[in-house]
Amino acid sequence: MLKLIAPQYPTKALAPLMLEDYRKVMVERRGEEEQFSSEHIVECMKKVIAVDLKQTVHVDKDLQIRAYYAGHVLGAAMFYAKVGDTAMVYTGDYNMTPDRHLGAAQIDRLQLDLLISESTYATTIRDSKYGREREFLKAVWNINTIISQIFLYFY
């Protein structure tokens, strides 16, 4: 029986919402052909097994899987898989630098045969964290100033 391994319980809770939102955008807004229905999502989620970080799941005698914290977004995980004597890690985006809301990625020192990594912004040079935070605070301050002016106008 095919099962989906989902990292952590928040991810399992959010997955059906995200899949349904994707389905609506693609079918109802863009008019594309439906690839899966709401019923498919419900049936799929019945097969999902939530996995805690650093929990090892023995799928069968030859396959084991373990999730590691990716430090990217809430619920993001890297997956270590070992099939027989071959070991690999698959990860989407990960972050090795902690920030104000997430810690750095955490993974054991592993002997791997293969690393598969995806990246959203691999070729993008981003502003410093300090610069991004400063811009964010400036935007919040500007919105707060506008709201205060509107409130005073109506008062």
Side-chain angles (χ1 to χ4, degrees):
M1 176 158 99
L2 180 64
K3 296 189 181 219
L4 172 67
I5 307 292
Q8 300 185 318
Y9 296 92
T11 302
K12 183 177 179 180
L14 291 174
L17 300 172
M18 294 170 65
L19 287 168
E20 181 61 25
D21 187 52
Y22 172 80
R23 189 196 66 75
K24 284 180 181 177
V25 167
M26 298 309 287
V27 174
E28 297 174 12
R29 291 191 186 158
R30 287 185 156 180
E32 295 187 14
E33 182 180 338
E34 184 172 75
Q35 301 296 314
F36 53 88
S37 67
S38 297
E39 292 77 28
H40 287 129
I41 295 169
V42 171
E43 289 303 310
C44 174
M45 294 312 297
K46 289 179 183 177
K47 299 175 184 177
V48 172
I49 300 170
V51 177
D52 288 324
L53 295 175
K54 294 195 176 183
Q55 174 188 350
T56 300
V57 176
H58 295 275
V59 178
D60 62 29
K61 67 180 181 70
D62 293 322
L63 174 60
Q64 66 176 327
I65 297 171
R66 186 178 317 130
Y68 288 97
Y69 178 67
H72 175 58
V73 296
L74 181 63
M78 302 179 278
F79 278 94
Y80 165 81
K82 186 171 184 184
V83 181
D85 294 331
T86 304
M88 63 158 289
V89 167
Y90 165 79
T91 182
D93 289 335
Y94 63 94
N95 189 353
M96 298 306 294
T97 306
D99 58 27
R100 295 188 188 276
H101 70 290
L102 294 170
Q106 299 172 358
I107 190 165
D108 296 332
R109 186 174 295 272
L110 302 166
Q111 289 292 110
L112 300 176
D113 297 294
L114 178 65
L115 170 66
I116 301 171
S117 179
E118 299 176 23
S119 178
T120 305
Y121 300 107
T123 60
T124 302
I125 298 174
R126 297 170 60 180
D127 293 336
S128 70
K129 187 185 328 179
Y130 175 79
R132 290 191 315 264
E133 288 176 353
R134 185 175 176 89
E135 288 301 312
F136 173 74
L137 290 174
K138 208 184 311 183
V140 169
W141 178 261
N142 290 340
I143 291 169
N144 191 27
T145 302
I146 291 168
I147 290 172
S148 297
Q149 290 172 352
I150 292 170
F151 179 73
L152 289 174
Y153 175 76
F154 285 108
Y155 185 72

